[in-house]
Amino acid sequence: MATLDLHRISKSFGTAKVLHDIDLAIKDKEFVVFVGPSGCGKSTLLRIIAGLEEASSGKVVIDGADVSDAHPVDRGISMVFQSYALYPHLTVFENIAFPLRVQKLAEPDLKQRVMRAAEILQLTDKLKLKPGQLSGGQRQRVAIGRSIVRNPKVFLFDEPLSNLDAALRGDMRVELSQLHRELDATMVYVTHDQVEAMTMADRIVVLNGGRVEQFGTPMELYHHPATKFVAGFIGQPNMNLIPATVLGTDGGLTVEIDGGHRMTLPVDSSAASAGDKVEVGIRPEDVDLGDGGLSISVRVLERLGGVSITYGTIGNGETRFCASLPGDAAVREGEPLHLSVAPSDCHVFDASGRVLRRTAAPALVA
Amino acid sequence: MMDRYTKLQMVGIYIGIFLFLSFMLLPFVEMFVTSLRPLEHLRTTPYQFWSDKFSFDAYRQMWETVPLLGRYILNSIFIASMVTACTMLLVVPAAYAYARLDFPFKDTSLGLILAINMFSGAVLLIPLYRVLKALGLLNTYWAMIVPGIAFLIPTGIWLLRSYLEKIPRELEEAAYVDGASRMYTLRRVVLPLALPGLLVVGTATFIGAYAQQFLFAITFNQNRELQPLPAGLQEFVGRQQVEWNQMMAAALTGVLPVMLIFFFLQKYLVAGLTAGAVKE
Ligand SMILES: Nc1ncnc2c1ncn2[C@@H]1O[C@H](COP(=O)(O)OP(=O)(O)OP(=O)(O)O)[C@@H](O)[C@H]1O
Ligand SMILES: [Mg+2]
């Protein structure tokens, strides 16, 4: 059992406020990923949970107990650092055993726990080596090994895979998900890689400028982004955002997008009124070939095999538009392209960047 | 990598190294040659590079001319070792504090400590004399050890601090998260990683201590038995003549232990001096 609650956490460095009233409730055994652009405060928030940094105000609660002033060990957390933070002068065995040596655990017990961690992480034949003799992926596993021997309640990871090459990152992603299932522990994972976030998380926290933009399951974030920021952050290639003007609010929202095309979209229009400036969000993968009113001039075409990504502009040529089309779509660079999109696939954001709730979209996944 | 330099450049580099080393080592060669010469040779002209009268006699006679010579050499090593040990004991925690901890007046106090280096020992001899006298330390080993420590601490802190700063902070944070105390982390993580740096600072301190003994010995100590080698060499200056050959022999014998230490530490010293230059 390990729940993790953050109550109105704020943090300032000098006069710079980097975290603003963060409230989060993380459930037992949940794998939660913090994502956001560089400098948004992910690491700072994680370090506050770890006890490496003190919050300027607010409370960290683990399993119902306020641990805001507790030592990391008493919080029951362990942390894996981006740089692995392995001790270069100690062997793999001693690196993994370090937390247990600190606890002065008896030798047979210590040995047994290190061996078990080494087994889980397939490091048994590497125990006598020094970190310098290991590959990046193996070092990462040693760092994880050191964090699991103590049987902590909550695991914290700060961009653990960012130093690995793409192929290895894919493997480690799978291994970490597996580890999460095996250990049955609560995990908090920081990354700025949205693929890691989407594939590993039970729920994702999107941070922006020290604020929580949205907290939800990956598919919730994908289908129901709460803000323009989340919409742009989740999904690859990024969602297209087209300026539009509201024409009417009866039976959905009728808009005219840049370039003159009119659509009636199934969204909650109660707060909108005619004449409002909004933005219509269309995911590149939601468009189809065929004249549905979207005319694009194609600038660049990338054929990836299974799909072809086109980059171009829509309307008067100032709004960029990206579309993901079948691999052999009959498209040429420099030629006009006609596309259609189902109204129920469109997102609408008001002038402040907040979404107008979609009424015909996939239901929220529980 | 191997042929980064052309042949011509290599020749130039070797000539440069040769000139540099000659400049540094010729005095030692001359010392050695002098120690082999019979005394009357020293005043003959023309200068003779070699003659069959050369012998190691001076190395035997010096112990008779200055009966306490052995004692002086041991004193030198003892004083330099004590200074080094005490300095390191004080420098390690101080350098760590300056590298890692936050405390009021951190930069100011470091600046003040370094400012000591702007005074050479000579300027402070008289005040130091009074302090040592008040403490009753004159004419003891401490008279030569305590001021030695004081003058070597600033450079020691400065050198070691920059070395400790290069040890990734995350290593200490990882140890902290795993429950290790500061002292435990210092002992098990920081100091082992700083070993090359400690050797560099230790050696620099030892050399410094060896070199500065003379001044403190002749001002703060009149007890012959406690005199270090540089002061003891004075005794080769006799009433009628100076026993140059024996003095050089004694000086060489005195620096020999230090040279040997250097020889064995060389590998670590080079590693220490270039640490951080290459990514792990
Ligand atoms: N010790 C510190 N002193 C002053 N400012 C800090 C400190 N640590 C972090 N900051 C600032 O706080 C903000 C958030 O930093 P943080 O490291 O949490 O970002 P991040 O989201 O982890 O970014 P990245 O993805 O680049 O790791 C940044 O603007 C950073 O400059
Ligand atoms: Mg970070």
Side-chain angles (χ1 to χ4, degrees):
Chain A
M1 231 327 256
T3 59
L4 169 63
D5 298 283
L6 303 182
H7 293 297
R8 300 181 63 79
I9 296 279
S10 295
K11 176 71 184 176
S12 308
F13 289 109
T15 54
K17 192 158 184 187
V18 298
L19 291 176
H20 305 264
D21 293 328
I22 305 267
D23 271 306
L24 284 179
I26 293 171
K27 295 183 225 154
D28 182 34
K29 299 191 176 113
E30 208 171 10
F31 196 126
V32 171
V33 174
F34 294 174
V35 281
S38 194
C40 67
K42 308 179 292 288
S43 298
T44 308
L45 188 57
L46 197 73
R47 291 166 58 86
I48 289 173
I49 298 173
L52 281 169
E53 205 91 63
E54 214 177 318
S56 306
S57 66
K59 275 195 297 187
V60 179
V61 177
I62 293 179
D63 269 352
D66 182 352
V67 294
S68 310
D69 300 316
H71 187 279
V73 173
D74 303 324
R75 294 178 185 213
I77 63 98
S78 79
M79 182 152 170
V80 176
F81 294 82
Q82 176 171 3
S83 65
Y84 318 138
L86 299 179
Y87 309 119
H89 58 301
L90 300 179
T91 59
V92 168
F93 183 95
E94 285 303 324
N95 263 286
I96 297 177
F98 191 89
L100 305 177
R101 293 248 185 257
V102 174
Q103 291 176 5
K104 302 207 169 65
L105 200 70
E107 192 68 29
D109 204 4
L110 176 143
K111 198 155 182 184
Q112 188 219 325
R113 279 165 74 173
V114 173
M115 292 311 287
R116 177 158 155 61
E119 245 163 65
I120 294 176
L121 297 161
Q122 297 154 32
L123 287 167
T124 343
D125 53 338
K126 303 278 186 291
L127 288 172
K128 290 202 176 65
L129 301 181
K130 297 269 175 72
Q133 296 165 292
L134 300 180
S135 71
Q138 290 163 344
R139 284 182 212 185
Q140 189 55 68
R141 287 210 286 267
V142 177
I144 294 169
R146 191 175 58 191
S147 76
I148 66 178
V149 279
R150 226 159 19 88
N151 297 328
K153 293 193 266 189
V154 181
F155 287 89
L156 307 175
F157 297 91
D158 193 356
E159 308 207 20
L161 306 187
S162 61
N163 289 355
L164 303 181
D165 64 47
L168 201 51
R169 220 181 297 164
D171 294 346
M172 285 301 289
R173 230 163 41 212
V174 177
E175 279 187 38
L176 274 174
S177 298
Q178 218 169 331
L179 190 73
H180 175 233
R181 269 195 304 279
E182 270 174 53
L183 297 176
D184 248 354
T186 309
M187 293 190 173
V188 181
Y189 185 104
V190 165
T191 180
H192 57 238
D193 181 325
Q194 58 131 330
V195 178
E196 277 174 31
M198 291 297 283
T199 53
M200 298 165 73
D202 292 324
R203 285 196 293 168
I204 298 177
V205 179
V206 181
L207 286 170
N208 182 26
R211 288 192 171 81
V212 175
E213 288 274 333
Q214 194 171 1
F215 183 23
T217 65
M219 290 319 274
E220 246 170 69
L221 265 54
Y222 181 78
H223 288 304
H224 296 277
T227 64
K228 208 166 82 177
F229 179 82
V230 176
F233 204 78
I234 302 288
Q236 198 67 29
N238 293 347
M239 182 187 280
N240 299 296
L241 292 164
I242 309 161
T245 312
V246 176
L247 299 177
T249 59
D250 288 338
L253 191 75
T254 308
V255 295
E256 182 180 301
I257 62 169
D258 246 19
H261 181 55
R262 292 183 182 192
M263 297 191 279
T264 298
L265 307 172
V267 299
D268 177 7
S269 59
S270 51
S273 49
D276 282 358
K277 294 286 177 202
V278 294
E279 279 178 280
V280 172
I282 300 173
R283 293 206 182 272
E285 56 272 31
D286 285 340
V287 296
D288 290 308
L289 289 169
D291 193 356
L294 304 174
S295 43
I296 317 294
S297 34
V298 178
R299 294 265 168 79
V300 177
L301 174 67
E302 289 179 349
R303 292 210 189 265
L304 304 180
V307 291
S308 293
I309 314 279
T310 66
Y311 300 90
T313 55
I314 190 168
N316 57 13
E318 275 167 22
T319 308
R320 285 199 274 177
F321 195 93
C322 170
S324 176
L325 301 170
D328 45 12
V331 185
R332 290 238 192 92
E333 288 179 9
E335 282 184 8
L337 173 66
H338 298 284
L339 298 173
S340 67
V341 61
S344 61
D345 284 338
C346 293
H347 304 248
V348 182
F349 302 96
D350 66 18
S352 68
R354 296 212 64 81
V355 77
L356 305 189
R357 195 173 52 80
R358 299 166 75 196
T359 50
L364 289 182
V365 193
Chain B
M1 284 301 276
M2 289 314 288
D3 42 11
R4 256 178 317 172
Y5 300 106
T6 63
K7 280 239 169 63
L8 199 68
Q9 281 173 319
M10 286 306 278
V11 171
I13 288 170
Y14 275 100
I15 291 178
I17 293 175
F18 178 77
L19 286 176
F20 183 70
L21 282 183
S22 314
F23 193 71
M24 307 264 293
L25 295 178
L26 267 182
F28 287 92
V29 174
E30 179 59 23
M31 264 172 97
F32 182 63
V33 174
T34 305
S35 72
L36 300 181
R37 282 178 206 283
L39 203 54
E40 57 271 21
H41 245 205
L42 293 173
R43 283 182 288 274
T44 54
T45 38
Y47 182 89
Q48 272 178 298
F49 277 105
W50 195 252
S51 103
D52 45 7
K53 291 210 188 117
F54 276 25
S55 73
F56 282 96
D57 286 348
Y59 287 85
R60 217 172 333 101
Q61 289 157 1
M62 64 184 188
W63 306 102
E64 287 153 25
T65 318
V66 179
L68 282 178
L69 184 59
R71 174 89 199 217
Y72 296 153
I73 292 175
L74 288 182
N75 279 344
S76 259
I77 293 171
F78 173 73
I79 293 170
S81 306
M82 283 296 285
V83 170
T84 308
C86 296
T87 306
M88 291 309 280
L89 242 93
L90 295 168
V91 158
V92 168
Y96 181 75
Y98 279 113
R100 277 291 186 271
L101 308 184
D102 260 324
F103 49 90
F105 304 112
K106 182 170 159 179
D107 294 338
T108 323
S109 57
L110 184 63
L112 283 175
I113 290 177
L114 284 170
I116 295 177
N117 269 5
M118 291 192 288
F119 300 93
S120 73
V123 181
L124 295 175
L125 278 185
I126 293 166
L128 270 175
Y129 186 89
R130 301 208 52 162
V131 171
L132 291 169
K133 191 174 173 190
L135 295 173
L137 295 179
L138 285 180
N139 304 320
T140 66
Y141 279 127
W142 294 110
M144 293 168 277
I145 293 172
V146 174
I149 297 171
F151 283 107
L152 288 166
I153 282 178
T155 353
I157 292 180
W158 186 254
L159 277 175
L160 194 58
R161 184 189 73 130
S162 56
Y163 199 86
L164 292 178
E165 273 174 349
K166 281 187 213 128
I167 295 175
R169 203 177 269 267
E170 283 197 345
L171 290 185
E172 287 174 65
E173 287 181 344
Y176 174 72
V177 167
D178 287 337
S181 65
R182 278 248 182 235
M183 284 317 274
Y184 187 89
T185 310
L186 192 63
R187 196 156 45 81
R188 284 249 8 241
V189 179
V190 178
L191 292 185
L193 290 177
L195 196 62
L198 290 173
L199 282 174
V200 169
V201 177
T203 316
T205 308
F206 190 87
I207 297 167
Y210 214 93
Q212 62 175 208
Q213 291 173 345
F214 180 66
L215 197 59
F216 300 137
I218 57 170
T219 17
F220 304 142
N221 177 41
Q222 278 158 23
N223 188 340
R224 230 177 124 206
E225 309 245 296
L226 306 185
Q227 223 52 304
L229 181 67
L233 287 179
Q234 285 291 105
E235 295 187 14
F236 287 102
V237 183
R239 254 169 233 147
Q240 280 95 41
Q241 59 179 359
V242 182
E243 308 281 346
W244 285 112
N245 51 357
Q246 292 181 36
M247 192 194 266
M248 292 304 132
L252 278 179
T253 314
V255 291
L256 197 67
V258 185
M259 285 214 217
L260 284 179
I261 294 178
F262 254 96
F263 188 75
F264 288 114
L265 286 185
Q266 200 184 35
K267 195 175 79 182
Y268 299 99
L269 288 177
V270 173
L273 288 170
T274 57
V278 186
K279 216 170 165 215
E280 185 198 322

